[in-house]
Amino acid sequence: MSASPDSPAPTPQSPRTAPAASAPVRRRSYAWLLWLPVLAVLAYIGWHSWRQMQVREARERAAVADADLRLDALDERINALRNDQRSQNRRLQQADSTNRVLRDELHGISTRASLIEDSVSKLADPDRHGAQAMRLDETELLLTLGQQRLQIAGDLAGARSAYALAGGVLDGIDDPAYLSLRQTLMQERAALDALGIDPRVRAMAQLDAYSRTLNLAPVADAQAPALRAPWWERAFGNILDIQPSDGAVALRPADRAVALAGLQLEISLARAAAERRDDAGYRAALTRADGWLQRLMPDSAARERQRATLKSLTALPLSLSVPTLGSTLQQLRQLRTAH
């Protein structure tokens, strides 16, 4: 294109002055970038501080939890130690009781060993076998006599004497095989001693005491007519007397004499039955005596007391009861058979 002659000619621009006008603008646009590292550093420092704070709080919480766990473990350990101490105390007490029992058993074993040693030391005696057989025969005879005197004759004193003699003879036997026999004999003698008085003798003594304490005073005479009785009762009262036959009290002297004789007879029969240990006869006689007693005494508290005493006498045992009777004799025969 050709330039018009009227237009002004363009002024040439200098290469140095043209970019100078835009330089401040470009410098202002990039100035904020200089703050980015500072902000990044500040953000990192803040994040790092917050992170350290979180880590420190976590460590503190962990330390507190660990301390709690240690305290709980310490409490459990203390409780376990206390339980161990209690169990050790119980074990010590059990050990003391066990040692006490062992000492007693050891003492018994030593005593038995000394007895066995004494028995063994006498085994060399050539005459011991004949003497021992004779002593065993004598012991068996005495035990048999004692058992028969108690069972047949009821002689408690004789049975005790026979068993005491058998114990003395048995003590002279030094054979260890008969040590248990002595213990059985001691138990049987203790059972005989525990019987006390013979039941038959006790029953007879109480029956005699009861017969002496009977109060059989005569009842008021019913033959004397009352002043206000009718004339026919005063006239015929001695001829005819109407009263119930069951449980009637004997009022006339002849009736009372018969009833008294019947009572004394029944008491005598009961005493004889007790003498021969007849339980059925003894109780039957006292039952009949109760009937005669009702004939002799009117219905009163005194009669009921007498009847109660009579019932207690009826319930008395007459026979001896020794469950272990004959056990020593049976064991002796078994040992002799075994030897």
Side-chain angles (χ1 to χ4, degrees):
M1 291 178 63
S2 59
S4 64
D6 295 330
S7 60
T11 58
Q13 295 179 355
S14 175
R16 294 182 179 178
T17 58
S22 60
V25 178
R26 189 177 299 120
R27 193 176 295 118
R28 282 195 301 273
S29 61
Y30 293 101
W32 60 274
L33 296 174
L34 297 175
W35 293 96
L36 288 177
V38 176
L39 292 175
V41 170
L42 292 175
Y44 175 76
I45 292 173
W47 176 82
H48 185 69
S49 299
W50 177 81
R51 184 67 178 173
Q52 291 295 327
M53 186 182 300
Q54 293 292 327
V55 171
R56 185 167 56 254
E57 290 179 356
R59 289 179 179 175
E60 290 177 356
R61 287 194 296 271
V64 172
D66 186 46
D68 293 337
L69 292 176
R70 289 177 181 273
L71 288 176
D72 294 338
L74 185 60
D75 291 337
E76 292 179 357
R77 185 70 178 273
I78 291 173
N79 293 330
L81 290 175
R82 288 176 180 173
N83 293 331
D84 292 340
Q85 185 179 5
R86 294 192 191 98
S87 62
Q88 290 294 336
N89 291 332
R90 288 194 295 269
R91 289 176 182 175
L92 288 175
Q93 293 176 358
Q94 292 177 357
D96 291 338
S97 60
T98 305
N99 290 333
R100 197 178 303 111
V101 172
L102 289 176
R103 284 196 299 268
D104 295 339
E105 291 182 355
L106 184 60
H107 179 69
I109 291 173
S110 62
T111 305
R112 191 176 180 86
S114 62
L115 292 175
I116 293 175
E117 185 178 358
D118 294 338
S119 300
V120 171
S121 63
K122 297 178 182 178
L123 289 175
D125 187 4
D127 299 331
R128 63 175 301 275
H129 296 286
Q132 178 175 319
M134 184 178 63
R135 288 180 179 274
L136 290 175
D137 291 337
E138 186 177 358
T139 303
E140 184 176 358
L141 178 61
L142 289 172
L143 292 176
T144 305
L145 288 176
Q147 183 177 356
Q148 290 179 355
R149 290 185 69 86
L150 188 62
Q151 290 179 344
I152 299 175
D155 187 3
L156 183 59
R160 289 173 180 170
S161 178
Y163 273 82
L165 292 174
V169 175
L170 192 59
D171 289 338
I173 299 175
D174 52 10
D175 193 347
Y178 295 96
L179 290 177
S180 59
L181 188 63
R182 299 177 187 173
Q183 184 177 2
T184 307
L185 181 59
M186 291 175 60
Q187 293 176 356
E188 194 167 356
R189 289 183 61 186
L192 289 176
D193 293 337
L195 289 177
I197 304 175
D198 190 354
R200 178 185 62 182
V201 177
R202 185 188 298 112
M204 293 175 61
Q206 293 185 11
L207 192 60
D208 292 337
Y210 174 75
S211 64
R212 288 192 300 269
T213 56
L214 281 175
N215 186 11
L216 302 177
V219 187
D221 190 5
Q223 293 181 354
L227 296 177
R228 289 179 295 178
W231 64 271
W232 58 268
E233 185 176 352
R234 293 197 301 269
F236 301 102
N238 295 328
I239 302 174
L240 182 63
D241 186 13
I242 301 174
Q243 59 181 352
S245 59
D246 295 337
V249 178
L251 302 177
R252 300 179 183 277
D255 295 338
R256 292 188 62 81
V258 171
L260 182 59
L263 178 60
Q264 295 294 340
L265 177 62
E266 296 300 338
I267 291 177
S268 300
L269 290 176
R271 188 182 295 108
E275 181 69 26
R276 63 179 183 271
R277 298 185 189 276
D278 185 6
D279 292 338
Y282 174 77
R283 287 173 175 80
L286 290 183
T287 303
R288 293 191 299 269
D290 181 65
W292 287 115
L293 184 65
Q294 296 180 43
R295 289 278 296 167
L296 287 169
M297 298 182 66
D299 190 6
S300 61
R303 189 180 77 171
E304 294 302 323
R305 287 194 298 270
Q306 295 290 346
R307 293 188 64 192
T309 306
L310 197 60
K311 287 181 181 179
S312 64
L313 288 174
T314 307
L316 288 177
L318 300 178
S319 301
L320 295 168
S321 177
V322 184
T324 59
L325 185 65
S327 57
T328 307
L329 181 60
Q330 182 180 2
Q331 184 177 358
L332 176 60
R333 289 173 178 173
Q334 290 177 355
L335 288 174
R336 299 194 69 179
T337 302
H339 283 281

